Amino acid sequence: MAQPDYSNSKYGAFALTIACLIVAAFAGNFCDEMDITFGGERAKILNGGQDLYLSLDQYSGSGFQSKNEYLFGRFDMQLKLVPDNSAGTVTTFYLSSQSTGRDEIDFEFLGNSTGNPYTIHTNVYSQGKGDKEQQFHLWFDPTAAFHTYTILWNSQRIIFYIDDIPLRVFNNHEAIGVSFPKSQPMKVYSSLWNADDWATQGGRVKTDWTKEPFTASYRKFNANANKVSPDSKSTSSRNENQAWRTQGLDAAGRNRIRWVQNKYMIYNYCNDYNRFPNGLPVECTRPRFL
């Protein structure tokens, strides 16, 4: 996932340090889990470390990343997206490795002009190769209230959820030659940045800077996951409930994902014959929901 490289992360780290000193008595919050990576005071931790706000203005966006790396797990984050005229803005919640041939699992939220829907963009990279996009509109207003966005990642599949409703499943098809992210630990990232060269209607609608600052809200991050220590050893999930290790879609889940994809999917790389004139990717011939 490409985004600007801002150089003022030290100011964000300073602001985070002050916030964490103030709320050090509280456990299980953004102070414990996250480091601000860029944007300085545009990234704010409030309410005893329970809430985090990212802002974007014409000079910089902002972002944060997890202190820990993980190898498989379930990652939940509650988000409330930029309201009103969000055209040109991109809010993200994703996993990514640190290597050159990166693995990555993306939620990207592409803003729009007032009254038009957000586009939910998903993608999966393995060994630096992506091109597996699916995009959706939503059955609710993601700016009016918090909703829970979930990435479930195990060795068999990746499932994207919103409020526990499955949006997309990407299965492990290594047996037929499709690379799958399973060996590189990943950190959790989130950011808010300007991408008006492509984000809204292919870049035709630009960011209206008279509306700045643009703000997205985060809360209730939870990683029920295998944490990887600096010596590359994997430790158990902090939560004893590890159903995510083998989780797939049951009959009810398959019905829900069909409903979502039939009514709200607006792009699927597996249907894009113009993009793949020599034949669709091999995984597109396999059942989508098993």
Side-chain angles (χ1 to χ4, degrees), residues 134-191:
Q134 289 184 358
Q135 294 183 339
F136 305 83
H137 288 157
L138 291 173
W139 51 98
F140 57 87
D141 179 358
T143 74
F146 283 94
H147 293 268
T148 302
Y149 300 85
T150 300
I151 296 171
L152 185 141
W153 170 41
N154 60 36
S155 61
Q156 296 88 47
R157 62 191 59 85
I158 296 161
I159 308 176
F160 297 81
Y161 292 92
I162 301 178
D163 295 331
D164 279 330
I165 296 174
L167 194 74
R168 174 184 184 178
V169 60
F170 182 81
N171 289 305
N172 184 341
H173 287 304
E174 288 181 307
I176 56 172
V178 181
S179 183
F180 185 84
K182 70 173 191 180
S183 59
Q184 298 189 76
M186 294 198 257
K187 288 190 173 185
V188 178
Y189 294 84
S190 286
S191 58

Side-chain angles (χ1 to χ4, degrees), residues 23-98:
V23 300
F26 295 85
N29 55 41
F30 283 113
C31 292
D32 301 322
E33 302 284 356
M34 301 296 176
D35 289 321
I36 292 172
T37 52
F38 68 93
E41 293 184 356
R42 296 170 186 85
K44 297 182 184 298
I45 293 177
L46 300 173
N47 190 26
Q50 300 306 301
D51 298 322
L52 193 154
Y53 298 90
L54 294 181
S55 294
L56 163 71
D57 58 35
Q58 59 187 307
Y59 301 104
S60 179
S62 52
F64 61 91
Q65 70 181 38
S66 63
K67 296 178 185 291
N68 298 309
E69 287 187 305
Y70 305 94
L71 187 62
F72 304 131
R74 176 181 172 125
F75 306 88
D76 299 286
M77 183 81 79
Q78 289 195 358
L79 281 81
K80 185 162 61 173
L81 300 180
V82 174
D84 303 321
N85 188 354
S86 57
T89 71
V90 177
T91 308
T92 68
F93 167 49
Y94 64 104
L95 308 178
S96 183
S97 66
Q98 308 297 301

Side-chain angles (χ1 to χ4, degrees), residues 1-285:
M1 189 203 68
Q3 66 181 50
D5 180 17
Y6 297 103
S7 60
N8 55 349
S9 60
K10 63 180 180 180
Y11 300 109
F14 176 76
L16 179 60
T17 299
I18 296 299
C20 290
L21 287 173
I22 294 171
V23 300
F26 295 85
N29 55 41
F30 283 113
C31 292
D32 301 322
E33 302 284 356
M34 301 296 176
D35 289 321
I36 292 172
T37 52
F38 68 93
E41 293 184 356
R42 296 170 186 85
K44 297 182 184 298
I45 293 177
L46 300 173
N47 190 26
Q50 300 306 301
D51 298 322
L52 193 154
Y53 298 90
L54 294 181
S55 294
L56 163 71
D57 58 35
Q58 59 187 307
Y59 301 104
S60 179
S62 52
F64 61 91
Q65 70 181 38
S66 63
K67 296 178 185 291
N68 298 309
E69 287 187 305
Y70 305 94
L71 187 62
F72 304 131
R74 176 181 172 125
F75 306 88
D76 299 286
M77 183 81 79
Q78 289 195 358
L79 281 81
K80 185 162 61 173
L81 300 180
V82 174
D84 303 321
N85 188 354
S86 57
T89 71
V90 177
T91 308
T92 68
F93 167 49
Y94 64 104
L95 308 178
S96 183
S97 66
Q98 308 297 301
S99 61
T100 301
R102 77 187 189 283
D103 291 347
E104 190 168 296
I105 305 169
D106 290 341
F107 260 126
E108 295 183 283
F109 309 95
L110 313 184
N112 213 332
S113 51
T114 302
N116 292 305
Y118 263 81
T119 294
I120 310 304
H121 177 97
T122 66
N123 202 356
V124 176
Y125 288 78
S126 181
Q127 299 296 318
K129 181 175 175 54
D131 299 330
K132 302 186 185 301
E133 302 92 341
Q134 289 184 358
Q135 294 183 339
F136 305 83
H137 288 157
L138 291 173
W139 51 98
F140 57 87
D141 179 358
T143 74
F146 283 94
H147 293 268
T148 302
Y149 300 85
T150 300
I151 296 171
L152 185 141
W153 170 41
N154 60 36
S155 61
Q156 296 88 47
R157 62 191 59 85
I158 296 161
I159 308 176
F160 297 81
Y161 292 92
I162 301 178
D163 295 331
D164 279 330
I165 296 174
L167 194 74
R168 174 184 184 178
V169 60
F170 182 81
N171 289 305
N172 184 341
H173 287 304
E174 288 181 307
I176 56 172
V178 181
S179 183
F180 185 84
K182 70 173 191 180
S183 59
Q184 298 189 76
M186 294 198 257
K187 288 190 173 185
V188 178
Y189 294 84
S190 286
S191 58
L192 173 58
W193 53 290
N194 178 48
D196 66 2
D197 57 333
W198 64 269
T200 304
Q201 299 180 32
R204 292 188 296 275
V205 181
K206 301 299 183 181
T207 304
D208 181 358
W209 294 113
T210 68
K211 307 297 184 183
E212 68 172 37
F214 303 94
T215 301
S217 307
Y218 295 77
R219 69 181 189 186
K220 295 187 178 179
F221 170 69
N222 183 62
N224 185 3
N226 283 342
K227 187 187 303 181
V228 177
S229 60
D231 60 6
S232 298
K233 292 182 179 179
S234 179
T235 59
S236 298
S237 163
R238 68 187 181 194
N239 188 322
E240 291 183 0
N241 180 7
Q242 298 185 22
W244 55 264
R245 289 183 176 276
T246 57
Q247 187 170 333
L249 295 177
D250 58 14
R254 289 192 292 273
N255 285 337
R256 285 185 163 191
I257 198 171
R258 288 189 183 98
W259 171 76
V260 170
Q261 296 201 356
N262 288 337
K263 290 182 67 68
Y264 298 102
M265 179 184 280
I266 60 172
Y267 177 80
N268 182 2
Y269 77 106
C270 280
N271 295 332
D272 195 340
Y273 291 91
N274 291 327
R275 183 177 174 188
F276 301 104
N278 297 321
L280 295 173
V282 63
E283 70 270 16
C284 296
T285 66

